Structure formats: C-alpha cells, structure tokens
Amino acid sequence: MVSATLTEARTPRLDSLTSLRWWAALAVFFFHVRNVVPLPGVVGELAHYGNYGVAFFFILSGFVLTWSWRPAVGVGTFYWRRLARIYPLHLVTLLIAIPVFYSFTPDPAHSWVKPVEIAVLVLCLLLLQGWSRDPVVLFAGNPVSWTLTAEMFFYAMHPLITRVLKLLSSRAALWTAAGILAVSVLARTSMVLDPSGSLAGLPWPILRLNEFVIGMCLAWSIRLGWRLRISPWISVALLASFVLGLQALKRVPQWGFALDVVAPYTSEIITALFALMICAFAVADLEGTTRFSRSRVVVLLGEWSYAFYLIHGTLIYIVLAHLGPQHGIVGLLWILTLLATSVLAAWALHALVERPAEKRLRAWQNRMVARRRQGNPTQRSTAEAISDQE
C-alpha cells in the first residue's frame, strides 16, 4: 500500500504539459484543414498524422488527472469538477456548430450538412454520440466532440481505476502501463487478422480506454519517484523519426514487407512515443530544465487548446461552405487566416465561457459542500482547490 503522505501531497503544476496540448491541437487542426485546403504531396501525408493528436489528448488526460489527484477530493466533487470543466464550452460550441452542420433542407453539394434529427442532437447534448460506430451519429453535432464522449467515460472510470492504482508501487505501475500497451498490440493483431471481428466493432470509448489508463499509470509512477532519464527533445526526435521513416518506407517498393508489418501498429507505436514524450517533459518540468515549453505564450495557447479544438472544425467548414476548396497561395493564406481566426475564437471562448462557467459551477459546488459541513462538522472538506491543468 502506498503511504498516505505520498498520495496526499500537493503536486506541482507542469506547464510543459499544458504547452504540449497546444501542439497536439495544432496537429489536429492541420488534419482537418485539408478539407478546405487539399495539401499536396508529402505535406498532406504528414498532416494526416494530426489525427493522432486525439490519442495524445487521451494519454495526457489520464496523466494530468492522476498527477493532480488527491484523496481529500471526494468522488462527487471530482465528477462535478470534470463536468464544470468540459460541459459549458461543449454546449456553446454545439449550438454554434448546429447551423453549420445541419439543415432542414440539406444541399447535396455540401455532403457534410445533415438533415436535422432531434434524437441524434439530444445524444450530442448528453455527450453519448461517441458510443455509436455509425459515422452519422459518431460525428453528429459538433463533429470533433465525439472525443468528449470518450472523456466522460474515462472520467467515470478514473476513481475506480485509482483504487487499484493506489495499491501499486512505482515499478508496478510502469509494468502495468507496459502490459496495457502489450495487450493493445495483441488486440490490434486480432483486428488485423479478423477485421470484422467483435473487437473491431467495440465503441470508441472502450477501445481508447487503454490510452487513458497508460497515462494514469505513468503519472502514478512519477508521483512515487520514478524519473525518465532522457531529454524531452530526444522524445520529440524519436516521434518525428518514426513518422518520417514510415513515410520513407511508403516510397521504397522493396521495403513493402516492412511497411506491411509496421503500418498496422502505427497507433500503438505512436501511443508509446507520446507516453515517452509526456514523461520526459513532465520530469524536465519537475527538475526545472525546460524553458521554451514553459514560455508564457505557448502555455497560454495550451490553456486555450480545448476551446481551439472545439471551434476550429466549425470555422473550417464555414469557409468550405461559402468558398469551396482553396488551392495554391490563396489556400496557404486561408490556412493562416483560419488558424488565426481559430486562435482568436479560442481566446474569446476561453475568457468569456470556459473559465467563468467553470469558476461559477465550482463555486456553487463548494458552497453546497460548505453547507453540508455546517450540518455535519466532522465531515472532511472537499471544497479545497486542486491543481487542474486539463
């Protein structure tokens, strides 16, 4: 059993991880911007890897929540804080997205515009659409918000998984993370051998839980004293080398066999590299050896990244609907314009919706806890603020 002193100690804020959120969100932006500006050649192929930014967010979510976890914060308070953190902005960006992605009389030329279906939009409102594998439902409402369905499931599971995690030593937590990754590889092998098997049809929240739990295990190990002894920039170089190497294999016919072996496991390899990167930056932050990744500008962008993630796709499709695909120099200018507009919109949503709503909802919950304590003076307070980078 891990000592109470270790589990109750307040953990420092890791600004480098907040900065990494921005780069992951930016990668997702380039993945989606291809819909309005088809990127040519290798640039477009590299932008396709931006899709893996979602995996980064899932790993980081498990890491940060476990890093900031304190036993004094009850399960009810934890759930309320998670809801206060993600739901208000989800609701606002959903309302903004509906006129862009839905119509009572959809234009067939705009294939992304769907007919209004109240039942599907209610699923989006409740963040349940991600349990469907039907693309019409999965990407309903604000299309990027399917990931919030997975996050809500992860949040629900976090207190339960933490009960097991508390029993593990630092080394055992590392072995658990490695074991989960190994199981993921076996599951991928099963899906490669039987693409129509039962595993391939599981809902995404279940299939992606492994990424969240790996992040939890690594955070717990670092909390208990483990330190990864590699430079964070080496971890970045390893990720870049893998992506570029995979692209090189696609261009060398005689290496086709190697590509066939490696490519199906791209997700698992990138998951391992993301996990390595998060640990490397977290340790560097703890030891004060990072500078650029803790710069105020990048940290601010990281703080706005959730709003950026939820609004950028809607802005991209507004341009696509009114102007159609863009190419050449004009296309490049539109990428820059969309990026700048998305950042400005993210700042406004963060400042006017995300933070104020979270603050008020948490304050309301704190008042409820305080009132209960007045009725029961022996009750331990859970209203204490915690480090919360997510």
Side-chain angles (χ1 to χ4, degrees):
M1 176 73 69
V2 178
S3 71
T5 302
L6 286 172
T7 58
E8 292 179 6
R10 185 183 295 276
T11 51
R13 180 180 172 87
L14 301 175
D15 282 334
S16 289
L17 300 189
T18 303
S19 299
L20 290 179
R21 288 170 58 89
W22 162 247
W23 298 112
L26 185 62
V28 175
F29 168 85
F30 278 106
F31 175 78
H32 287 141
V33 83
R34 298 175 309 147
N35 291 296
V36 69
V37 183
L39 298 173
V42 69
V43 175
E45 293 175 12
L46 291 176
H48 178 78
Y49 289 94
N51 190 40
Y52 291 100
V54 171
F56 182 88
F57 282 126
F58 288 161
I59 301 167
L60 186 63
S61 179
F63 188 100
V64 170
L65 286 181
T66 304
W67 178 254
S68 61
W69 173 81
R70 299 183 71 203
V73 178
V75 173
T77 298
F78 171 82
Y79 285 150
W80 182 257
R81 288 177 175 178
R82 293 296 90 216
L83 187 69
R85 176 69 178 87
I86 72 169
Y87 194 80
L89 195 56
H90 156 66
L91 179 59
V92 170
T93 52
L94 173 62
L95 295 175
I96 294 172
I98 286 174
V100 177
F101 294 103
Y102 286 86
S103 172
F104 288 103
T105 56
D107 182 350
H110 294 170
S111 59
W112 61 90
V113 179
K114 299 176 278 292
V116 174
E117 294 186 45
I118 299 302
V120 172
L121 291 177
V122 169
L123 289 178
C124 297
L125 185 67
L126 299 176
L127 287 175
L128 295 174
Q129 77 275 22
W131 288 97
S132 173
R133 293 297 293 264
D134 179 354
V136 174
V137 179
L138 178 65
F139 301 118
N142 183 1
V144 301
S145 67
W146 72 268
T147 59
L148 300 186
T149 299
E151 286 286 2
M152 292 295 283
F153 175 62
F154 301 160
Y155 297 160
M157 296 298 295
H158 187 270
L160 301 175
I161 299 170
T162 300
R163 290 184 181 182
V164 177
L165 207 56
K166 288 191 299 181
L167 304 176
L168 302 182
S169 67
S170 176
R171 179 173 295 182
L174 285 177
W175 278 110
T176 301
I180 293 170
L181 187 62
V183 170
S184 302
V185 171
L186 291 176
R188 180 68 62 186
T189 301
S190 173
M191 287 185 276
V192 169
L193 296 176
D194 184 10
S196 60
S198 57
L199 280 180
L202 287 174
W204 286 116
I206 294 176
L207 284 175
R208 307 302 289 268
L209 181 62
N210 61 318
E211 296 160 354
F212 182 80
V213 179
I214 286 172
M216 290 184 64
C217 292
L218 295 174
W220 190 249
S221 184
I222 292 176
R223 281 187 67 147
L224 298 183
W226 174 67
R227 297 293 182 264
L228 179 66
R229 295 302 176 187
I230 69 167
S231 163
W233 304 112
I234 289 179
S235 69
V236 173
L238 289 173
L239 177 64
S241 297
F242 172 72
V243 171
L244 293 174
L246 200 59
Q247 288 303 115
L249 283 178
K250 293 178 181 179
R251 286 168 167 72
V252 183
Q254 55 266 39
W255 286 96
F257 173 75
L259 182 64
D260 291 341
V261 171
V262 174
Y265 300 95
T266 299
S267 180
E268 287 68 37
I269 295 171
I270 288 182
T271 292
L273 293 172
F274 280 158
L276 189 74
M277 182 188 304
I278 289 169
C279 290
F281 275 91
V283 170
D285 233 7
L286 290 172
E287 298 180 347
T289 59
T290 54
R291 287 190 178 182
F292 171 75
S293 59
R294 290 189 295 165
S295 67
R296 183 56 183 160
V297 172
V298 186
V299 171
L300 275 176
L301 289 169
E303 291 174 355
W304 303 345
S305 62
Y306 175 51
F308 178 90
Y309 174 77
L310 287 183
I311 197 62
H312 79 277
T314 300
L315 297 178
I316 286 171
Y317 277 94
I318 288 174
V319 172
L320 183 60
H322 288 86
L323 300 178
Q326 303 295 303
H327 302 273
I329 297 298
V330 174
L332 176 60
L333 292 175
W334 268 112
I335 290 176
L336 297 176
T337 300
L338 280 166
L339 178 59
T341 304
S342 297
V343 170
L344 288 174
W347 164 75
L349 288 167
H350 177 82
L352 300 177
V353 177
E354 183 182 355
R355 297 308 291 175
E358 181 183 7
K359 183 178 179 180
R360 288 171 184 170
L361 288 171
R362 289 177 65 143
W364 178 86
Q365 195 266 349
N366 288 344
R367 288 195 298 270
M368 295 301 101
V369 171
R371 289 176 186 174
R372 288 198 297 270
R373 290 187 66 222
Q374 288 176 357
N376 182 8
T378 62
Q379 182 180 1
R380 188 173 186 177
S381 171
T382 60
E384 182 182 1
I386 62 171
S387 171
D388 191 355
Q389 292 180 261
E390 173 145 319

